Amino acid sequence: MPAQASSSFSAARAPRVAIVGATGAVGEEFLRVLDQRSFPMTSLKLLASARSAGKTLSFGDQTLTVEALGEHSFDDVDLALFSAGGSISREYAPLAVKAGAVVVDNSSAFRMTDGVPLVVPEVNPQAVTEAGIGLRKELKAGIIANPNCSTIIMLLAVNPLHRFAGVERIVVSTYQAASGAGAAAMRELEQQTREALSAPGGTGTVETQDVFGMQYAFNLFSHNSPVEMGGYNQEELKMVHESHKIWNQDADQGAAVSPERIRTGITATCVRVPVMRAHAESINLTFRDECSELKASELLRAAPGVTLQDDRAANAFPTPLQASHQDDVFVGRVRRDLSQPEGRGLDLFVCGDQIRKGAALNAVQIAELLLERRGAER
Ligand SMILES: NC(=O)c1ccc[n+]([C@@H]2O[C@H](COP(=O)([O-])OP(=O)(O)OC[C@H]3O[C@@H](n4cnc5c(N)ncnc54)[C@H](OP(=O)(O)O)[C@@H]3O)[C@@H](O)[C@H]2O)c1
């Protein structure tokens, strides 16, 4: 468990905020989301590697200068939003907590650590309260983890159905965008696409293969995370383990299955596709209780953070392009799985902007929970 201290926050002012990894794909999205949601702040500090020190970034109508991350970066910070990779989080998040800041961490460093809440605000908001972490002197500074982007997108769609009918099994296949691998992967997909289109003799091959070590443009491949014993890659295992942790933290929120039964069988196949931004997922569900197509559509239509887009007549369903830069996760292709006993199986197709809802937006929503809580308890 990371070091604990009491929160440095003073209720007399809005929090002093820092973004760690401000120059990255998620970091820049943090700037947009904080601005668009008018997140209350006394100050905003942008932190990145020494390579970016002095670089400027826009925040609303302000121009802010990036500082190099260092051990004293958090001396005047109440809330630190981390998105600079696991090793940076492991080294600096405990220092931020020691300095009295609440950390919302986008990396996988602490997601499965006992005592660190793993939160999707639409699914298990109470996990924050239960951990006693908050922006008040009497509450603890501490770390709250943002789940993996594919997990967040899947749970936004599946959780409303799970609460109603108890999902016993999930078979999910992902179609993951370049943006999930950061700004460098997005640049490389663009570069490779140019190279492929102008390749001599129309061969469609590319020279630049720095990020994934293979051709990404006009190709697709198994997710680039390391493959573990048993053949699952780490991205697939994150979807399994994180979903279980989140749902178990949701146990008293009226989920249709009791905590000891929230061991829903989940098997995932994660694939990178040459899409610039926003992930797609094909999801097959087996329910304990009956859940008709009609009921599922009704539940999804009412679910926070979800837009049902399911027009069979027009063959119009979610696409990554349309989900890009949107807050909601789009769900369509809601249909009975004909291979399962009636009412016990459904298929869905889901798209969500994983830099936004899968990372920056979810983290800012967690920070908003901390602020709401402050208001409620005052
Ligand atoms: N992309 C997504 O959709 C997504 C979704 C969920 C979670 N995440 C997680 O969010 C984190 C960042 O992802 P990203 O996609 O934004 O990556 P990215 O575009 O590669 O950005 C990485 C950021 O980390 C900073 N950084 C690198 N080394 C550093 C150092 N030694 N000290 C301080 N800052 C350093 C970089 O600063 P410089 O520019 O100075 O190098 C940059 O700001 C990762 O942990 C990732 O797993 C990403």
Side-chain angles (χ1 to χ4, degrees):
M1 179 65 196
Q4 299 275 305
S6 44
S7 168
S8 65
F9 187 72
S10 153
R13 54 171 168 73
R16 299 164 297 177
V17 178
I19 300 174
V20 182
T23 50
V26 176
E28 295 207 6
E29 194 65 23
F30 265 129
L31 288 167
R32 277 188 285 277
V33 172
L34 290 169
D35 181 38
Q36 287 162 356
R37 296 172 79 87
S38 302
F39 187 86
M41 289 182 277
T42 295
S43 57
L44 178 59
K45 183 186 277 198
L46 306 186
L47 299 163
S49 76
R51 296 179 292 275
S52 299
K55 187 177 169 184
T56 56
L57 294 173
S58 298
F59 176 67
D61 54 8
Q62 300 172 52
T63 301
L64 302 177
T65 303
V66 177
E67 298 173 34
L69 176 65
E71 59 181 295
H72 296 294
S73 293
F74 304 100
D75 290 351
D76 52 358
V77 168
D78 304 305
L79 173 66
L81 304 168
F82 271 67
S83 68
S87 57
I88 298 295
S89 291
R90 268 187 289 277
E91 185 175 351
Y92 288 94
L95 296 179
V97 171
K98 205 167 162 203
V102 173
V103 169
V104 183
D105 183 28
N106 260 303
S107 80
S108 59
F110 300 104
R111 287 183 190 145
M112 297 309 293
T113 304
D114 281 347
V116 172
L118 183 64
V119 179
V120 183
E122 292 85 349
V123 178
N124 63 337
Q126 80 295 340
V128 174
T129 322
E130 284 169 11
I133 295 170
L135 288 167
R136 279 184 69 161
K137 268 268 180 273
E138 60 272 35
L139 294 173
K140 285 185 294 195
I143 299 172
I144 301 172
N146 214 46
N148 166 271
C149 47
S150 304
T151 308
I152 295 176
I153 290 166
M154 177 175 78
L155 289 187
L156 258 276
V158 174
N159 192 58
L161 312 180
H162 178 55
R163 285 182 183 212
F164 175 74
V167 173
E168 290 194 327
R169 182 162 190 252
I170 302 175
V171 181
V172 56
S173 300
T174 68
Y175 309 74
Q176 299 188 215
S179 54
M186 295 169 84
R187 285 192 296 272
E188 182 152 306
L189 176 57
E190 210 178 308
Q191 172 68 19
Q192 283 194 358
T193 304
R194 269 196 227 101
E195 289 178 13
L197 289 173
S198 59
T203 55
T205 53
V206 301
E207 287 289 312
T208 311
Q209 299 188 12
D210 299 333
V211 176
F212 297 115
M214 66 173 95
Q215 178 158 347
Y216 189 18
F218 304 103
N219 194 15
L220 58 80
F221 45 84
S222 182
H223 192 277
N224 48 295
S225 56
V227 178
E228 306 259 312
M229 292 285 286
Y232 283 93
N233 62 47
Q234 284 180 1
E235 184 81 355
E236 293 159 352
L237 294 174
K238 284 174 190 172
M239 293 186 79
V240 176
H241 299 314
E242 293 181 17
S243 298
H244 287 156
K245 178 167 175 175
I246 293 163
W247 268 342
N248 280 304
Q249 288 178 334
D250 181 41
D252 59 354
Q253 290 296 297
V257 281
S258 61
E260 65 278 9
R261 292 201 58 204
I262 302 180
R263 281 285 156 216
T264 303
I266 304 175
T267 183
T269 302
C270 291
V271 173
R272 282 260 182 237
V273 295
V275 163
M276 194 54 81
R277 184 172 169 136
H279 290 352
E281 299 181 8
S282 161
I283 302 174
N284 177 265
L285 300 171
T286 304
F287 295 99
R288 183 197 55 192
D289 303 326
E290 186 179 333
C291 185
S292 68
E293 254 172 43
L294 210 64
K295 184 66 190 175
S297 299
E298 184 191 309
L299 291 165
L300 289 165
R301 206 174 280 113
V306 171
T307 296
L308 183 68
Q309 188 192 14
D310 205 18
D311 186 344
R312 293 178 182 177
N315 206 343
F317 303 109
T319 65
L321 205 53
Q322 181 227 9
S324 294
H325 306 284
Q326 303 296 318
D327 286 356
D328 275 9
V329 166
F330 292 75
V331 185
R333 307 287 331 269
V334 181
R335 63 196 190 282
R336 187 161 76 81
D337 171 0
L338 294 175
S339 72
Q340 298 198 53
E342 188 161 354
R344 293 204 47 230
L346 280 180
D347 283 297
L348 312 172
F349 187 71
V350 175
C351 290
D353 186 325
Q354 92 298 331
I355 301 189
R356 205 168 168 90
K357 181 54 190 169
L361 172 63
N362 197 73
V364 171
Q365 287 173 317
I366 292 171
E368 287 170 348
L369 284 178
L370 299 168
L371 290 178
E372 275 168 30
R373 198 173 155 217
R374 185 162 63 87
E377 291 180 4
R378 212 178 265 154

